[in-house]
Amino acid sequence: MDDLVEFGIDAPEPFGKMFWGLHDPVRVLKTWESAVPKERVHVLTLPAPGAGPDVLWDRFCALTGIDPAVCDVGGLADEEPLSAVEAELLRRLNGRLGTALGGDYERVVRGYLAGGGLTAGSDAAGDAAGGVPMGLPPRHDGWAADRTRAIVADLRDAGYGVAGDMAELTTSRTPREAMLPGDVPDELIAAASIGVSAYLLERLNQVHDRVGIAHLHGQLSDVRENLDRLLQAAASPSPPPALQRAAARRRAGAGDRPAGAPGGVRGDGRGRFVVTYDRRELLAESLAALAAQERRPDRIVVVDNASGDGTPAMVRERFPDADLLTLPRNTGGAGGFAAGMAHALSGDTDLLWLLDDDTVPEPGALRALLAARDRTAGLDGPATLLASRVVWTDGRDHPMNTPRPKPRASAVERAAARAAGCVPIRSASFVSVLVDAAVVRERGLPVADYFLWNDDFEFTTRLLRGRRGLLCPDSVVVHKTKTFGGADADPGDRFYYEVRNKIWLFTGSRGLAPPERVLYAGSTVRRWSRTFAGSSDRAVLRRALVRGARAGLTGRPKPTADLLREIGVEVPLHDGDAP
């Protein structure tokens, strides 16, 4: 900073030209004047300290012609700037971290340091020094005053339109006591570092307590489940008298079980639901595998998409404890999963395990997902989504259901996932995925109008944007498709849904950031090329492509809440909604 003051734009490279090229208002305005008529170049002065936020807003609106009433700025609070100690500590920390946090940098720093850990560090440095604001020190007061007067004179001579008062620019904004970050003594940084470390250890201990409680809830659920089984045995024709009495007491207290979490404990409802259409025998096999889980779900919801093969009767007869939701018409996988989630979220469910009707989970599948969720909980809580490893009937990994790895996952995130035997992912399929119900309530249900294809990709990317998702290889399910193959196998006329939904996704979903849309759009084009190359009837694909492109470009999906109400499913209130 001393060099910037003494030498100005001639300060050592690259700081002189870089700093003054951006912060010299006269130089910046001349650059604009080379591309914009001078009469359209304006200077908007920053109000003096103490002026309300509406002053600057009103000036901006007066220049642009915007009605100030379109935005209420009266409730905006001033953001407290970093102190000199906080700024220097963060600068040194950034130098040490480098690119280790990757795309998680802003979330981690804002979530755990800004306003929390850094404040604790500043407090630890002492009231006298820790709270000294960042700014020009007194030794530069004279230079600052001279420089400000010169800038004001140059702006007046240039003749630009001014919104505000030039005199405001000469008002001192530097606190009486200020310090440059580089002037902070090492002993203050050391004291602040201890404060930050103590703060982060306290936060880590809080997270550990939450994870421990969640694990205890899971153990209690297991105990309760085993007790249920024991008491069911007690209800046999000739159980011991003690078991008969215990069964009677258990039945008498059954009314205390919380709604929305059958078989579980309050606040820990873990529901599993499956969407089915005309696959009665496969569904029966899936439900039987669910009943054999080492850690059984607290609630089972079966969504029947207006099957015509007797599926509802089979469920009522063979699986009477299942919560059967029968829809009046076939809404596809997208509508079925949206309806099932809306139904499950009406209670106090906190986790949802989503499976297809041709998915057969191995006995330890759910237990492994829950264990991985506990093991990988960090300062930001547990992962939002965990996906199972999906295999075909012969044990090979199923190419249709391979979750997409998370691009540019940070080294910290990869290491934490690897320590738990998991892999960071960006999306997953509905074949077997465990999701946080609170995040679904916040970000919305699947887009029901997709009908089939890409509904799980859109939904999981929307849930995982800015959050953590994991593939848990210890949780294994068998996807009993008719053939072994990927999503680029010949789809026939159903290619219409692939094209339409991909256009809807890339143009309207909040799940992908702009760079990701480019990345996945390129991947989609390559996969479509493989689909055409391997098709036995390319004319059908071409017609489906044209129809899908027309529908995707000229229409938008119907709001999920409206579609579900048409079929008699009420949508619980939540903060977010599907596009």
Side-chain angles (χ1 to χ4, degrees):
M1 189 65 200
D2 289 335
D3 287 343
L4 291 173
V5 169
E6 181 177 356
F7 301 109
I9 199 169
D10 295 323
E13 294 287 351
F15 304 108
K17 291 181 180 179
M18 181 177 69
F19 181 86
W20 287 116
L22 295 174
H23 295 91
D24 183 336
V26 177
R27 180 182 295 274
V28 171
L29 290 171
K30 284 187 179 298
T31 301
W32 276 105
E33 193 178 335
S34 65
V36 180
K38 188 172 186 176
E39 61 271 15
R40 299 185 61 181
V41 178
H42 301 274
V43 176
L44 184 65
T45 63
L46 190 66
D54 56 322
V55 176
L56 183 61
W57 173 244
D58 288 342
R59 291 177 182 177
F60 176 77
C61 291
L63 274 178
T64 58
I66 296 175
D67 181 3
V70 301
C71 182
D72 179 14
V73 296
L76 294 178
D78 292 335
E79 186 171 328
E80 193 68 25
L82 295 178
S83 70
V85 171
E86 293 168 349
E88 178 61 12
L89 180 58
L90 183 58
R91 186 187 70 81
R92 296 191 187 189
L93 186 61
N94 287 338
R96 183 63 179 269
L97 282 174
T99 60
L101 294 180
D104 292 327
Y105 174 86
E106 185 172 354
R107 175 180 61 84
V108 172
V109 170
R110 282 188 174 274
Y112 307 117
L113 288 182
L118 289 176
T119 300
S122 184
D123 293 342
D127 294 336
V132 174
M134 177 171 51
L136 287 175
R139 66 178 182 272
H140 293 316
D141 284 351
W143 169 85
D146 293 340
R147 178 66 178 162
T148 301
R149 285 192 292 269
I151 289 174
V152 169
D154 289 342
L155 290 175
R156 285 198 174 110
D157 291 342
Y160 299 117
V162 177
D165 186 353
M166 284 287 198
E168 291 174 324
L169 300 180
T170 60
T171 303
S172 175
R173 302 173 191 271
T174 302
R176 183 168 299 175
E177 287 186 87
M179 183 186 298
L180 292 171
D183 292 342
V184 176
D186 288 343
E187 55 267 25
L188 291 185
I189 296 298
S193 299
I194 294 174
V196 170
S197 300
Y199 171 84
L200 293 178
L201 286 173
E202 290 174 3
R203 288 291 304 273
L204 185 61
N205 186 58
Q206 292 170 1
V207 171
H208 183 271
D209 289 343
R210 289 199 298 270
V211 173
I213 292 173
H215 181 63
L216 179 60
H217 281 172
Q219 290 181 321
L220 289 174
S221 294
D222 291 344
V223 171
R224 190 166 188 165
E225 179 184 334
N226 291 331
L227 184 59
D228 279 333
R229 292 176 176 175
L230 180 63
L231 296 181
Q232 286 172 7
S236 62
S238 57
L243 287 183
Q244 287 185 358
R245 291 192 296 271
R249 289 195 300 271
R250 178 66 169 169
R251 288 193 296 270
D256 296 333
R257 183 172 295 169
V265 294
R266 188 173 298 277
D268 193 33
R270 288 163 181 172
R272 179 268 200 192
F273 71 84
V274 58
V275 176
T276 186
Y277 176 70
D278 280 351
R279 288 199 283 206
R280 182 181 58 187
E281 298 309 318
L282 278 173
L283 174 65
E285 187 177 358
S286 177
L287 293 177
L290 183 63
Q293 286 295 296
E294 296 170 359
R295 183 358 182 145
R296 295 178 65 182
D298 302 322
R299 180 184 184 188
I300 302 172
V301 178
V302 177
V303 182
D304 178 62
N305 250 325
S307 297
D309 63 349
T311 290
M314 182 276 294
V315 173
R316 294 188 187 99
E317 178 183 353
R318 297 174 56 182
F319 304 95
D321 292 335
D323 184 356
L324 178 61
L325 176 62
T326 302
L327 303 182
R329 69 170 189 264
N330 183 11
T331 60
F337 277 107
M341 288 189 216
H343 185 71
L345 293 175
S346 61
D348 60 355
T349 302
D350 63 353
L351 290 172
L352 297 170
W353 188 22
L354 317 176
L355 297 98
D356 275 339
D357 57 356
D358 56 352
T359 299
V360 180
E362 293 192 353
L366 179 56
R367 182 183 293 279
L369 289 174
L370 295 173
R373 186 173 186 267
D374 287 346
R375 290 196 307 269
T376 57
L379 290 174
D380 56 348
T384 294
L385 176 154
L386 293 100
S388 300
R389 177 191 170 209
V390 182
V391 301
W392 198 47
T393 53
D394 62 358
R396 287 181 291 171
D397 286 341
H398 206 308
M400 185 182 293
N401 310 115
T402 304
R404 289 172 172 82
K406 183 177 181 180
R408 298 170 59 190
S410 70
V412 172
E413 185 176 355
R414 290 195 303 271
R418 186 166 54 249
C422 298
V423 178
I425 57 175
R426 185 64 180 89
S427 68
S429 77
F430 284 155
V431 171
S432 174
V433 62
L434 184 74
V435 299
D436 190 324
V439 182
V440 178
R441 292 184 177 100
E442 173 192 337
R443 299 200 170 180
L445 301 168
V447 185
D449 205 21
Y450 273 37
F451 194 79
L452 60 84
W453 283 5
N454 297 303
D455 49 317
D456 46 7
F457 178 61
E458 191 282 330
F459 174 72
T460 56
T461 55
R462 178 156 37 92
L463 256 58
L464 287 179
R465 185 166 181 181
R467 297 177 183 269
R468 290 187 298 122
L470 297 169
L471 168 64
C472 175
D474 290 340
S475 173
V476 180
V477 301
V478 180
H479 193 194
K480 305 191 77 170
T481 56
K482 292 181 179 179
T483 59
F484 178 82
D488 53 354
D490 196 348
D493 198 51
R494 294 191 303 172
F495 192 54
Y496 162 82
Y497 295 106
E498 159 71 7
V499 175
R500 183 197 65 177
N501 295 351
K502 273 290 181 8
I503 293 175
W504 279 352
L505 190 155
F506 291 139
T507 59
S509 173
R510 298 189 298 271
L512 298 176
E516 291 179 313
R517 297 185 188 198
V518 175
L519 174 66
Y520 288 121
S523 174
T524 296
V525 171
R526 290 193 297 272
R527 187 167 62 254
W528 287 359
S529 299
R530 292 195 300 269
T531 300
F532 268 88
S535 175
S536 60
D537 193 342
R538 296 178 186 175
V540 171
L541 290 186
R542 281 194 294 270
R543 288 194 295 269
L545 175 65
V546 172
R547 289 174 50 236
R550 183 184 300 116
L553 294 171
T554 61
R556 299 303 306 157
K558 179 183 294 185
T560 294
D562 293 349
L563 192 150
L564 294 184
R565 291 189 185 100
E566 290 177 3
I567 57 175
V569 177
E570 285 301 317
V571 179
L573 296 176
H574 50 15
D575 295 333
D577 199 1

